[in-house]
Amino acid sequence: QTPLKKTNALIAQMGITFLNAYVPSALCCPSRASILTGKYPHNHHVVNNTLEGNCSSKLWQKIQEPHTFPALLKTMCGYQTFFAGKYLNEYGAEDAGGVGHVPPGWSFWYALEKNSKYYNYTLSVNGKARRHGENYSVDYLTDVLANMSLDFLEYKSNFEPFFMMISTPAPHSPWTAAPQYMNLFQNVSAPRNSNFNIHGKNKHWLIRQAKTPMTNSSIQFLDNAYRKRWQTLLSVDDLIEKLVKKLELNGELDNTYIFYTSDNGFHTGQFSLPIDKRQLYEFDIKVPLLVRGPGIKPNQTNKMLVANIDLGPTILDIAGYDLNKTQMDGMSLLPLLRGDKNVTWRSDFLVEYQGEGYNGSDPTCPGLGPGVTHCFPDCVCEDSYNNTYACVRTLSTSWDLQYCEFDDREVFVEVYNLTADPHQINNIAKTIDQEILEKMNYRLMMLQSCSGATCRTPGVFDPGYRFDPRLMFSNHGVRARRFSAQSL
């Protein structure tokens, strides 16, 4: 069973599925900012979903928005551009210009004010507020986005190339399915992998605080969430079918690239965390990426390590723009899409997240003390101010490895060998070879201070990698750390 049968048939089977596609930050706003800018969070400076965290702030608008890939497509490549859906979580905030702010780069702009909703929302229609109520036939957001997109395809100019970005909030909470889909998937429950409902021993304290085993009510809650997410995706599946049919009718399907992806993964019960994202594990950082289009052979899979920072460079490359003129950290996927032989590709990338937490205690869970947030159900907290970490995720012929460090008092380290342990149950930081630890620590410092081309240098397991241990202890702008058995 899957809620995306049509998407699978129309995109995956007609094109390429990337089996190792990731986001550098498993949270909506930093991840969406990475898609738009082609940059890691430390370069676009959107660290969480708040205005203070630079999510759709005045600073973001001034410094990053003019250099997003849609802005370049419109101004430099002559594209007509269309946006519909959820932009950034704080978009439309009064302190940041309200819904009157239309970011540079968009010819047609239909953006949701603030975060995910399905009914009773406001859209910015080219800078003018339009309210929607709760009548399914005219207000259900996924369908409204589909209809606006079809209208654009109907009435756009045929003399300029076009780019569309359709950003459905589904399957984000509050998981309101269309009425005809509300009772489906009744027998579906969240996957029970080997890391489901177990204690996250040897992990960061935030993971260890989850109550194990989970209560029946927590399990019911997460299974219900999983089901409802699937139900909301049925409308996304319909949207994709309508768009592909429209492109076919217009005679444009064969010369149009279609990308399908998400801004983060999601966990449902892994390590006894009921539901959320923003952790460093595969279930939160790994996303689908399906692409069809000219020159892409059908029914292919690709195992290369790709990230959402690659989407902007890829689309600009397709449009013929010189990527050397950008400040993007990602790489164009075009050689992989075309199946070019002998492509040199990355063997690692950076994952980084800056935790959010309240100064005061969570009123629903006063016993937890200050600094934690998203504590539900059963007072299991999904985030905290020191849930701040950076990881190198490595995938090469010899290693499938993740190395992570927390920016907290204990400088906690987590290391996983995903060849032996795909569900990341055993933290091997204390037993892995010291030399690998030092190299990974050094590589992490390099990536945390990278920008543009330096983000694409060879990883630890590439033949071209150069390791100079002396640099670990010189001050090059990132705190170097000496590892001893005690700190692990």
Side-chain angles (χ1 to χ4, degrees), residues 151 165 214 231 272 285 287 396 429 439 447 455 472:
D151 280 352
M165 188 167 183
M214 291 181 286
Q231 292 165 0
S272 301
I285 61 173
V287 292
S396 67
K439 282 185 173 177
L447 283 171
C455 298
M472 290 179 72

Side-chain angles (χ1 to χ4, degrees), residues 118-121 130-148 150-151 176-180 182 235 242:
Y118 294 78
Y119 294 109
N120 297 314
Y121 52 86
R130 182 192 289 171
R131 285 282 308 144
H132 274 266
E134 46 193 302
N135 176 344
Y136 169 70
S137 59
V138 290
D139 297 317
Y140 187 67
L141 183 60
T142 312
D143 294 352
V144 169
L145 298 179
N147 293 336
M148 287 171 164
L150 295 172
D151 280 352
T176 315
Q180 68 272 30
M182 272 182 173
S235 297
K242 288 173 194 161

Side-chain angles (χ1 to χ4, degrees), residues 223-254:
D223 277 337
N224 191 36
Y226 190 85
R227 244 189 316 278
K228 286 178 159 173
R229 285 163 64 79
W230 271 32
Q231 292 165 0
T232 66
L233 283 172
L234 289 167
S235 297
V236 177
D237 207 33
D238 293 342
L239 174 153
I240 284 162
E241 180 186 44
K242 288 173 194 161
L243 281 174
V244 171
K245 279 187 168 165
K246 182 68 178 164
L247 285 167
E248 194 167 27
L249 198 66
N250 287 1
E252 294 176 318
L253 184 58
D254 291 341

Side-chain angles (χ1 to χ4, degrees), residues 24-58:
S25 192
L27 189 61
C28 331
C29 207
S31 186
R32 286 159 184 269
S34 284
I35 292 172
L36 289 161
T37 60
K39 294 178 186 176
Y40 281 122
H42 69 266
N43 289 329
H44 61 56
H45 306 294
V46 177
V47 295
N48 57 37
N49 285 346
T50 64
L51 271 180
E52 300 72 48
N54 203 27
C55 181
S56 212
S57 68
K58 281 269 204 260

Side-chain angles (χ1 to χ4, degrees), residues 274-320:
I275 60 158
D276 200 44
K277 52 230 172 195
R278 75 186 92 218
Q279 307 308 341
L280 54 86
Y281 308 103
E282 293 285 284
F283 43 74
D284 284 0
I285 61 173
K286 202 168 190 177
V287 292
L289 176 58
L290 318 172
V291 194
R292 70 171 284 173
I296 302 178
K297 296 190 178 77
N299 238 333
Q300 288 190 82
T301 55
N302 185 296
K303 290 183 176 159
M304 295 296 194
L305 196 55
V306 302
N308 69 2
I309 53 173
D310 300 333
L311 294 169
T314 305
I315 290 163
L316 288 172
D317 197 10
I318 287 169

Side-chain angles (χ1 to χ4, degrees), residues 88-264:
L88 298 171
N89 301 50
E90 286 293 332
Y91 171 75
E94 283 310 309
D95 301 355
V99 293
H101 171 69
V102 177
W106 299 104
S107 332
F108 300 91
W109 178 253
Y110 301 97
L112 180 67
E113 179 192 31
K114 300 282 185 77
N115 203 355
S116 307
K117 285 186 172 180
Y118 294 78
Y119 294 109
N120 297 314
Y121 52 86
T122 296
L123 289 180
S124 168
V125 178
N126 300 319
K128 303 267 190 300
R130 182 192 289 171
R131 285 282 308 144
H132 274 266
E134 46 193 302
N135 176 344
Y136 169 70
S137 59
V138 290
D139 297 317
Y140 187 67
L141 183 60
T142 312
D143 294 352
V144 169
L145 298 179
N147 293 336
M148 287 171 164
S149 306
L150 295 172
D151 280 352
F152 169 73
L153 287 175
E154 179 70 27
Y155 298 114
K156 69 178 172 54
S157 150
N158 289 330
F159 302 105
E160 298 166 317
F162 70 93
F163 169 74
M164 304 175 73
M165 188 167 183
I166 304 156
S167 180
T168 66
H172 199 289
S173 64
W175 318 302
T176 315
Q180 68 272 30
Y181 296 140
M182 272 182 173
N183 297 315
L184 296 179
F185 302 126
Q186 285 308 320
N187 58 344
V188 168
S189 52
R192 304 304 203 246
N193 290 335
S194 53
N195 55 8
F196 180 82
N197 201 12
I198 63 167
H199 187 250
K201 60 183 191 314
N202 306 331
K203 290 183 167 45
H204 187 233
W205 72 268
L206 187 70
I207 309 298
R208 295 196 306 265
Q209 56 86 38
K211 297 177 174 65
T212 309
M214 291 181 286
T215 60
N216 286 344
S217 60
S218 274
I219 292 176
Q220 247 177 326
F221 175 76
L222 68 87
D223 277 337
N224 191 36
Y226 190 85
R227 244 189 316 278
K228 286 178 159 173
R229 285 163 64 79
W230 271 32
Q231 292 165 0
T232 66
L233 283 172
L234 289 167
S235 297
V236 177
D237 207 33
D238 293 342
L239 174 153
I240 284 162
E241 180 186 44
K242 288 173 194 161
L243 281 174
V244 171
K245 279 187 168 165
K246 182 68 178 164
L247 285 167
E248 194 167 27
L249 198 66
N250 287 1
E252 294 176 318
L253 184 58
D254 291 341
N255 61 0
T256 302
Y257 286 91
I258 304 174
F259 293 77
Y260 177 90
T261 190
S262 176
D263 54 356
N264 49 254

